[in-house]
Amino acid sequence: MAKIILTGDRPTGRLHIGHYVGSLKRRVELQNSGEFDKIYIMIADAQALTDNAKNPGKVRQNIIEVALDYLAAGLDPEKCTIFIQSQVPQLTELTFYYMNLVTVQRLQRNPTVKNEIKLRGFKEGEAEDQEEEGIPVGFFTYPISQASDITAFKATTVPVGEDQLPMIEQTREIVRRFNNSYGEVLVEPVAVIPDNEVCKRLPGTDGSAKMSKSLGNCIYLADSAEELKNKVMKMYTDPNHIQITDPGSLEGNAVFTYLDAFAKDEHFAKFLPEYENLDAMKKHYTTGGLGDVKCKKFLLAVLESELGPIRERRLELEKHLPEIYEMLRKGSEEAARVADATLNEVKSAMKINYFVDNALENEVSGQ
Ligand code: TRP
């Protein structure tokens, strides 16, 4: 069976280093491994609209930002098809059929949906003013649309952040139900998540659990060297580590969490040779005698060595926006062709292909 990747992101903002270590970096590695027959990377604008109905401008504007981040991080349009979700209407059609295979109760139990309902402050139960406060139907059903995104391309592999695991599980259930009811058409995908624990959920620069635009605690791939420096030098460490000689704590210390995610032994040899590796540095920090500023400067050097080349590529790419739009247009056309083939198989399996080869007419006259 062909090995196919599909994954994507909502264009609600520029991508940050949480996205990068959580999924984007892995995608680039998988792309360059040459092990996959096809790779589809989707900018999920339709999904972004499920909780941004009143904000289409934001979604529109961020399509190009996300595309720039992708290319700057190393996704290569020669090796993968990058496309825009809303430009592939077949996905919406698939969603409508899959909706019959999922119960309201099952969606209500989806942990990611549950969590996002809380985060977005959508009221459950009978809200006074449904339009303002309730859960948008489109938002509630987005796991089903995500199953369409994945199955339309017969994806076998979905590299995502850990928070997306319930979506992949839901997709697998839909595939099983579909295939049981209508015959083997769809492919059950597996998720690929980071193996490094800290990369699964990189905290914000302020130490809070998640990097998020609304909390203003993100480091973006597009940040300038100056912005990166300011953010790193202001990062949250251990509030009780006042004197250099005090023993410092690693628990909840964002600087060390980022080092866990980014620092390699080579970085020590290059930027901080007095320690052999991160363990040695941590040991010194926790026994006392290593100051926060020194740790931050090292982290800055490590981040700069990884993000500097991405930033430079991004600045260069920004000079070529028409070509990037053209790449997205072509990618969307190709994606639509592939999704259309799957949709046709789905409709045949469901026996709603009435006008293909005069199917209906032949049945009638054959009676
Ligand atoms: N839900 C993903 C996110 O919030 C975006 C997404 C939409 C996606 N469809 C997908 C990811 C299909 C993987 C596969 O970032």
mmCIF file of all heavy atoms in Angstrom, residues 6-43:
data_model
loop_
_atom_site.group_PDB
_atom_site.id
_atom_site.type_symbol
_atom_site.label_atom_id
_atom_site.label_comp_id
_atom_site.label_asym_id
_atom_site.label_seq_id
_atom_site.Cartn_x
_atom_site.Cartn_y
_atom_site.Cartn_z
ATOM 1 N N LEU A 6 -0.875 13.027 5.234
ATOM 2 C CA LEU A 6 -1.655 14.270 5.182
ATOM 3 C C LEU A 6 -1.610 14.910 6.557
ATOM 4 O O LEU A 6 -1.777 14.232 7.570
ATOM 5 C CB LEU A 6 -3.122 14.062 4.811
ATOM 6 C CG LEU A 6 -3.838 15.438 4.852
ATOM 7 C CD1 LEU A 6 -4.480 15.810 3.565
ATOM 8 C CD2 LEU A 6 -4.738 15.606 6.049
ATOM 9 N N THR A 7 -1.367 16.199 6.567
ATOM 10 C CA THR A 7 -1.492 16.937 7.814
ATOM 11 C C THR A 7 -1.713 18.405 7.493
ATOM 12 O O THR A 7 -1.720 18.794 6.325
ATOM 13 C CB THR A 7 -0.276 16.713 8.733
ATOM 14 O OG1 THR A 7 -0.529 17.336 9.991
ATOM 15 C CG2 THR A 7 0.998 17.277 8.134
ATOM 16 N N GLY A 8 -1.923 19.205 8.529
ATOM 17 C CA GLY A 8 -2.157 20.619 8.258
ATOM 18 C C GLY A 8 -2.290 21.445 9.516
ATOM 19 O O GLY A 8 -2.158 20.938 10.633
ATOM 20 N N ASP A 9 -2.522 22.719 9.316
ATOM 21 C CA ASP A 9 -2.667 23.663 10.424
ATOM 22 C C ASP A 9 -3.755 24.662 10.099
ATOM 23 O O ASP A 9 -3.990 24.984 8.934
ATOM 24 C CB ASP A 9 -1.356 24.444 10.615
ATOM 25 C CG ASP A 9 -0.200 23.521 10.918
ATOM 26 O OD1 ASP A 9 -0.007 23.206 12.089
ATOM 27 O OD2 ASP A 9 0.497 23.102 9.964
ATOM 28 N N ARG A 10 -4.356 25.167 11.162
ATOM 29 C CA ARG A 10 -5.341 26.247 10.965
ATOM 30 C C ARG A 10 -4.611 27.568 10.776
ATOM 31 O O ARG A 10 -3.733 27.897 11.577
ATOM 32 C CB ARG A 10 -6.196 26.391 12.217
ATOM 33 C CG ARG A 10 -6.995 25.179 12.533
ATOM 34 C CD ARG A 10 -7.793 25.471 13.786
ATOM 35 N NE ARG A 10 -8.438 24.257 14.238
ATOM 36 C CZ ARG A 10 -9.329 24.231 15.220
ATOM 37 N NH1 ARG A 10 -9.660 25.350 15.843
ATOM 38 N NH2 ARG A 10 -9.879 23.102 15.576
ATOM 39 N N PRO A 11 -4.991 28.342 9.789
ATOM 40 C CA PRO A 11 -4.320 29.631 9.599
ATOM 41 C C PRO A 11 -4.950 30.721 10.461
ATOM 42 O O PRO A 11 -5.656 31.590 9.967
ATOM 43 C CB PRO A 11 -4.532 29.899 8.107
ATOM 44 C CG PRO A 11 -5.834 29.228 7.801
ATOM 45 C CD PRO A 11 -5.945 28.046 8.716
ATOM 46 N N THR A 12 -4.673 30.651 11.755
ATOM 47 C CA THR A 12 -5.216 31.697 12.634
ATOM 48 C C THR A 12 -4.101 32.585 13.160
ATOM 49 O O THR A 12 -4.337 33.491 13.945
ATOM 50 C CB THR A 12 -5.988 31.088 13.819
ATOM 51 O OG1 THR A 12 -5.143 30.113 14.441
ATOM 52 C CG2 THR A 12 -7.265 30.430 13.358
ATOM 53 N N GLY A 13 -2.878 32.311 12.751
ATOM 54 C CA GLY A 13 -1.748 33.144 13.168
ATOM 55 C C GLY A 13 -0.488 32.561 12.572
ATOM 56 O O GLY A 13 -0.532 31.497 11.952
ATOM 57 N N ARG A 14 0.612 33.275 12.754
ATOM 58 C CA ARG A 14 1.891 32.723 12.299
ATOM 59 C C ARG A 14 2.225 31.499 13.132
ATOM 60 O O ARG A 14 1.755 31.375 14.265
ATOM 61 C CB ARG A 14 2.981 33.770 12.498
ATOM 62 C CG ARG A 14 2.811 34.946 11.571
ATOM 63 C CD ARG A 14 3.837 36.013 11.892
ATOM 64 N NE ARG A 14 3.949 36.932 10.765
ATOM 65 C CZ ARG A 14 4.835 37.907 10.710
ATOM 66 N NH1 ARG A 14 5.686 38.098 11.706
ATOM 67 N NH2 ARG A 14 4.879 38.692 9.657
ATOM 68 N N LEU A 15 3.060 30.630 12.596
ATOM 69 C CA LEU A 15 3.426 29.433 13.347
ATOM 70 C C LEU A 15 4.548 29.764 14.339
ATOM 71 O O LEU A 15 5.421 30.573 14.057
ATOM 72 C CB LEU A 15 3.850 28.315 12.399
ATOM 73 C CG LEU A 15 2.776 27.887 11.393
ATOM 74 C CD1 LEU A 15 3.281 26.730 10.528
ATOM 75 C CD2 LEU A 15 1.474 27.476 12.091
ATOM 76 N N HIS A 16 4.465 29.149 15.523
ATOM 77 C CA HIS A 16 5.487 29.405 16.547
ATOM 78 C C HIS A 16 6.327 28.153 16.781
ATOM 79 O O HIS A 16 6.085 27.104 16.172
ATOM 80 C CB HIS A 16 4.831 29.940 17.826
ATOM 81 C CG HIS A 16 3.701 29.103 18.359
ATOM 82 N ND1 HIS A 16 3.871 27.778 18.747
ATOM 83 C CD2 HIS A 16 2.396 29.390 18.578
ATOM 84 C CE1 HIS A 16 2.720 27.309 19.184
ATOM 85 N NE2 HIS A 16 1.793 28.264 19.074
ATOM 86 N N ILE A 17 7.290 28.277 17.684
ATOM 87 C CA ILE A 17 8.218 27.149 17.849
ATOM 88 C C ILE A 17 7.556 25.947 18.528
ATOM 89 O O ILE A 17 8.092 24.850 18.472
ATOM 90 C CB ILE A 17 9.536 27.553 18.561
ATOM 91 C CG1 ILE A 17 9.271 28.082 19.969
ATOM 92 C CG2 ILE A 17 10.284 28.598 17.724
ATOM 93 C CD1 ILE A 17 10.562 28.296 20.764
ATOM 94 N N GLY A 18 6.380 26.167 19.126
ATOM 95 C CA GLY A 18 5.601 25.026 19.623
ATOM 96 C C GLY A 18 5.110 24.184 18.444
ATOM 97 O O GLY A 18 5.208 22.955 18.451
ATOM 98 N N HIS A 19 4.597 24.854 17.405
ATOM 99 C CA HIS A 19 4.206 24.138 16.185
ATOM 100 C C HIS A 19 5.430 23.448 15.580
ATOM 101 O O HIS A 19 5.349 22.336 15.080
ATOM 102 C CB HIS A 19 3.671 25.102 15.107
ATOM 103 C CG HIS A 19 2.393 25.800 15.477
ATOM 104 N ND1 HIS A 19 2.322 27.156 15.645
ATOM 105 C CD2 HIS A 19 1.148 25.325 15.687
ATOM 106 C CE1 HIS A 19 1.087 27.495 15.948
ATOM 107 N NE2 HIS A 19 0.341 26.407 15.974
ATOM 108 N N TYR A 20 6.541 24.160 15.625
ATOM 109 C CA TYR A 20 7.753 23.664 14.961
ATOM 110 C C TYR A 20 8.229 22.349 15.594
ATOM 111 O O TYR A 20 8.362 21.347 14.894
ATOM 112 C CB TYR A 20 8.837 24.748 15.028
ATOM 113 C CG TYR A 20 10.127 24.355 14.357
ATOM 114 C CD1 TYR A 20 10.191 24.183 12.983
ATOM 115 C CD2 TYR A 20 11.284 24.157 15.108
ATOM 116 C CE1 TYR A 20 11.377 23.812 12.364
ATOM 117 C CE2 TYR A 20 12.477 23.790 14.500
ATOM 118 C CZ TYR A 20 12.512 23.617 13.128
ATOM 119 O OH TYR A 20 13.686 23.242 12.518
ATOM 120 N N VAL A 21 8.451 22.356 16.914
ATOM 121 C CA VAL A 21 8.938 21.099 17.524
ATOM 122 C C VAL A 21 7.824 20.068 17.659
ATOM 123 O O VAL A 21 8.082 18.869 17.720
ATOM 124 C CB VAL A 21 9.620 21.309 18.907
ATOM 125 C CG1 VAL A 21 10.888 22.105 18.756
ATOM 126 C CG2 VAL A 21 8.671 21.942 19.913
ATOM 127 N N GLY A 22 6.568 20.540 17.715
ATOM 128 C CA GLY A 22 5.442 19.622 17.909
ATOM 129 C C GLY A 22 5.090 18.848 16.651
ATOM 130 O O GLY A 22 4.545 17.752 16.730
ATOM 131 N N SER A 23 5.380 19.399 15.477
ATOM 132 C CA SER A 23 4.961 18.702 14.268
ATOM 133 C C SER A 23 5.724 19.097 13.004
ATOM 134 O O SER A 23 6.147 18.248 12.223
ATOM 135 C CB SER A 23 3.456 18.929 14.075
ATOM 136 O OG SER A 23 3.036 18.484 12.820
ATOM 137 N N LEU A 24 5.950 20.396 12.827
ATOM 138 C CA LEU A 24 6.501 20.860 11.552
ATOM 139 C C LEU A 24 7.881 20.279 11.249
ATOM 140 O O LEU A 24 8.172 19.839 10.127
ATOM 141 C CB LEU A 24 6.546 22.401 11.577
ATOM 142 C CG LEU A 24 6.900 23.125 10.294
ATOM 143 C CD1 LEU A 24 6.108 22.614 9.113
ATOM 144 C CD2 LEU A 24 6.680 24.628 10.466
ATOM 145 N N LYS A 25 8.729 20.248 12.282
ATOM 146 C CA LYS A 25 10.084 19.738 12.102
ATOM 147 C C LYS A 25 10.048 18.264 11.666
ATOM 148 O O LYS A 25 10.794 17.842 10.786
ATOM 149 C CB LYS A 25 10.803 19.873 13.445
ATOM 150 C CG LYS A 25 12.274 19.744 13.386
ATOM 151 C CD LYS A 25 12.863 20.060 14.743
ATOM 152 C CE LYS A 25 14.347 19.738 14.725
ATOM 153 N NZ LYS A 25 14.972 20.061 16.008
ATOM 154 N N ARG A 26 9.147 17.524 12.285
ATOM 155 C CA ARG A 26 9.009 16.106 11.956
ATOM 156 C C ARG A 26 8.549 15.908 10.510
ATOM 157 O O ARG A 26 9.006 15.015 9.803
ATOM 158 C CB ARG A 26 7.995 15.492 12.938
ATOM 159 C CG ARG A 26 7.817 14.009 12.817
ATOM 160 C CD ARG A 26 9.109 13.288 13.204
ATOM 161 N NE ARG A 26 8.917 11.874 13.438
ATOM 162 C CZ ARG A 26 8.569 11.343 14.592
ATOM 163 N NH1 ARG A 26 8.359 12.115 15.637
ATOM 164 N NH2 ARG A 26 8.427 10.054 14.736
ATOM 165 N N ARG A 27 7.637 16.783 10.088
ATOM 166 C CA ARG A 27 7.149 16.667 8.710
ATOM 167 C C ARG A 27 8.285 16.845 7.725
ATOM 168 O O ARG A 27 8.351 16.162 6.714
ATOM 169 C CB ARG A 27 6.161 17.792 8.401
ATOM 170 C CG ARG A 27 4.873 17.647 9.084
ATOM 171 C CD ARG A 27 4.024 18.838 8.684
ATOM 172 N NE ARG A 27 3.116 19.145 9.749
ATOM 173 C CZ ARG A 27 2.386 20.232 9.804
ATOM 174 N NH1 ARG A 27 2.452 21.128 8.841
ATOM 175 N NH2 ARG A 27 1.578 20.426 10.800
ATOM 176 N N VAL A 28 9.147 17.820 8.025
ATOM 177 C CA VAL A 28 10.260 18.087 7.112
ATOM 178 C C VAL A 28 11.180 16.861 7.082
ATOM 179 O O VAL A 28 11.633 16.435 6.019
ATOM 180 C CB VAL A 28 11.020 19.366 7.536
ATOM 181 C CG1 VAL A 28 12.241 19.583 6.660
ATOM 182 C CG2 VAL A 28 10.096 20.578 7.475
ATOM 183 N N GLU A 29 11.405 16.263 8.253
ATOM 184 C CA GLU A 29 12.244 15.053 8.297
ATOM 185 C C GLU A 29 11.603 13.918 7.505
ATOM 186 O O GLU A 29 12.269 13.219 6.745
ATOM 187 C CB GLU A 29 12.462 14.601 9.748
ATOM 188 C CG GLU A 29 13.422 15.491 10.516
ATOM 189 C CD GLU A 29 13.318 15.308 12.029
ATOM 190 O OE1 GLU A 29 12.612 14.378 12.499
ATOM 191 O OE2 GLU A 29 13.935 16.113 12.749
ATOM 192 N N LEU A 30 10.303 13.742 7.698
ATOM 193 C CA LEU A 30 9.604 12.672 6.967
ATOM 194 C C LEU A 30 9.660 12.936 5.468
ATOM 195 O O LEU A 30 9.889 12.027 4.671
ATOM 196 C CB LEU A 30 8.149 12.549 7.437
ATOM 197 C CG LEU A 30 7.934 12.068 8.886
ATOM 198 C CD1 LEU A 30 6.459 12.121 9.255
ATOM 199 C CD2 LEU A 30 8.479 10.663 9.101
ATOM 200 N N GLN A 31 9.476 14.196 5.105
ATOM 201 C CA GLN A 31 9.559 14.570 3.686
ATOM 202 C C GLN A 31 10.928 14.197 3.122
ATOM 203 O O GLN A 31 11.040 13.597 2.058
ATOM 204 C CB GLN A 31 9.344 16.078 3.542
ATOM 205 C CG GLN A 31 9.736 16.633 2.181
ATOM 206 C CD GLN A 31 9.865 18.152 2.192
ATOM 207 O OE1 GLN A 31 8.883 18.860 2.040
ATOM 208 N NE2 GLN A 31 11.074 18.672 2.377
ATOM 209 N N ASN A 32 11.970 14.518 3.875
ATOM 210 C CA ASN A 32 13.317 14.300 3.357
ATOM 211 C C ASN A 32 13.773 12.846 3.464
ATOM 212 O O ASN A 32 14.779 12.471 2.886
ATOM 213 C CB ASN A 32 14.302 15.235 4.055
ATOM 214 C CG ASN A 32 14.012 16.690 3.700
ATOM 215 O OD1 ASN A 32 13.408 16.965 2.658
ATOM 216 N ND2 ASN A 32 14.400 17.613 4.555
ATOM 217 N N SER A 33 13.018 12.046 4.226
ATOM 218 C CA SER A 33 13.382 10.623 4.358
ATOM 219 C C SER A 33 13.172 9.890 3.038
ATOM 220 O O SER A 33 13.741 8.828 2.816
ATOM 221 C CB SER A 33 12.530 9.952 5.439
ATOM 222 O OG SER A 33 11.200 9.750 4.955
ATOM 223 N N GLY A 34 12.345 10.462 2.171
ATOM 224 C CA GLY A 34 12.076 9.816 0.891
ATOM 225 C C GLY A 34 11.242 8.549 1.023
ATOM 226 O O GLY A 34 11.080 7.806 0.066
ATOM 227 N N GLU A 35 10.699 8.292 2.212
ATOM 228 C CA GLU A 35 9.959 7.039 2.423
ATOM 229 C C GLU A 35 8.498 7.109 2.012
ATOM 230 O O GLU A 35 7.795 6.110 2.060
ATOM 231 C CB GLU A 35 9.979 6.676 3.916
ATOM 232 C CG GLU A 35 11.230 5.958 4.347
ATOM 233 C CD GLU A 35 11.204 5.705 5.837
ATOM 234 O OE1 GLU A 35 10.104 5.485 6.386
ATOM 235 O OE2 GLU A 35 12.285 5.751 6.443
ATOM 236 N N PHE A 36 8.047 8.322 1.677
ATOM 237 C CA PHE A 36 6.614 8.466 1.407
ATOM 238 C C PHE A 36 6.339 8.671 -0.074
ATOM 239 O O PHE A 36 7.095 9.339 -0.776
ATOM 240 C CB PHE A 36 6.040 9.603 2.258
ATOM 241 C CG PHE A 36 5.981 9.205 3.705
ATOM 242 C CD1 PHE A 36 7.086 9.366 4.533
ATOM 243 C CD2 PHE A 36 4.859 8.585 4.218
ATOM 244 C CE1 PHE A 36 7.058 8.938 5.849
ATOM 245 C CE2 PHE A 36 4.816 8.161 5.523
ATOM 246 C CZ PHE A 36 5.926 8.337 6.352
ATOM 247 N N ASP A 37 5.254 8.069 -0.517
ATOM 248 C CA ASP A 37 4.901 8.171 -1.925
ATOM 249 C C ASP A 37 4.286 9.525 -2.235
ATOM 250 O O ASP A 37 4.462 10.063 -3.319
ATOM 251 C CB ASP A 37 3.917 7.057 -2.297
ATOM 252 C CG ASP A 37 4.549 5.690 -2.076
ATOM 253 O OD1 ASP A 37 5.484 5.367 -2.823
ATOM 254 O OD2 ASP A 37 4.141 4.977 -1.147
ATOM 255 N N LYS A 38 3.501 10.035 -1.279
ATOM 256 C CA LYS A 38 2.863 11.343 -1.484
ATOM 257 C C LYS A 38 2.770 12.049 -0.137
ATOM 258 O O LYS A 38 2.551 11.414 0.895
ATOM 259 C CB LYS A 38 1.434 11.177 -2.019
ATOM 260 C CG LYS A 38 1.312 10.829 -3.483
ATOM 261 C CD LYS A 38 1.881 11.873 -4.444
ATOM 262 C CE LYS A 38 1.250 13.243 -4.332
ATOM 263 N NZ LYS A 38 1.855 14.229 -5.244
ATOM 264 N N ILE A 39 2.913 13.366 -0.165
ATOM 265 C CA ILE A 39 2.779 14.156 1.065
ATOM 266 C C ILE A 39 1.859 15.343 0.766
ATOM 267 O O ILE A 39 2.120 16.112 -0.165
ATOM 268 C CB ILE A 39 4.152 14.667 1.547
ATOM 269 C CG1 ILE A 39 5.105 13.479 1.773
ATOM 270 C CG2 ILE A 39 4.000 15.499 2.813
ATOM 271 C CD1 ILE A 39 6.510 13.876 2.176
ATOM 272 N N TYR A 40 0.795 15.443 1.533
ATOM 273 C CA TYR A 40 -0.143 16.562 1.376
ATOM 274 C C TYR A 40 -0.117 17.399 2.654
ATOM 275 O O TYR A 40 -0.279 16.864 3.751
ATOM 276 C CB TYR A 40 -1.571 16.052 1.153
ATOM 277 C CG TYR A 40 -1.703 15.226 -0.096
ATOM 278 C CD1 TYR A 40 -1.616 13.840 -0.043
ATOM 279 C CD2 TYR A 40 -1.894 15.831 -1.339
ATOM 280 C CE1 TYR A 40 -1.725 13.069 -1.184
ATOM 281 C CE2 TYR A 40 -1.999 15.081 -2.492
ATOM 282 C CZ TYR A 40 -1.915 13.697 -2.409
ATOM 283 O OH TYR A 40 -2.011 12.950 -3.552
ATOM 284 N N ILE A 41 0.084 18.692 2.474
ATOM 285 C CA ILE A 41 0.096 19.601 3.617
ATOM 286 C C ILE A 41 -1.013 20.624 3.376
ATOM 287 O O ILE A 41 -1.008 21.344 2.369
ATOM 288 C CB ILE A 41 1.450 20.333 3.747
ATOM 289 C CG1 ILE A 41 2.626 19.336 3.704
ATOM 290 C CG2 ILE A 41 1.465 21.191 5.001
ATOM 291 C CD1 ILE A 41 2.841 18.502 4.915
ATOM 292 N N MET A 42 -1.943 20.664 4.324
ATOM 293 C CA MET A 42 -3.155 21.451 4.096
ATOM 294 C C MET A 42 -3.235 22.664 5.024
ATOM 295 O O MET A 42 -3.037 22.543 6.234
ATOM 296 C CB MET A 42 -4.353 20.532 4.358
ATOM 297 C CG MET A 42 -5.669 21.196 4.142
ATOM 298 S SD MET A 42 -7.009 20.068 4.545
ATOM 299 C CE MET A 42 -6.937 20.178 6.318
ATOM 300 N N ILE A 43 -3.547 23.795 4.449
ATOM 301 C CA ILE A 43 -3.833 24.984 5.265
ATOM 302 C C ILE A 43 -5.335 24.965 5.526
ATOM 303 O O ILE A 43 -6.144 25.137 4.607
ATOM 304 C CB ILE A 43 -3.379 26.265 4.539
ATOM 305 C CG1 ILE A 43 -1.875 26.155 4.222
ATOM 306 C CG2 ILE A 43 -3.685 27.493 5.395
ATOM 307 C CD1 ILE A 43 -1.278 27.374 3.537
#
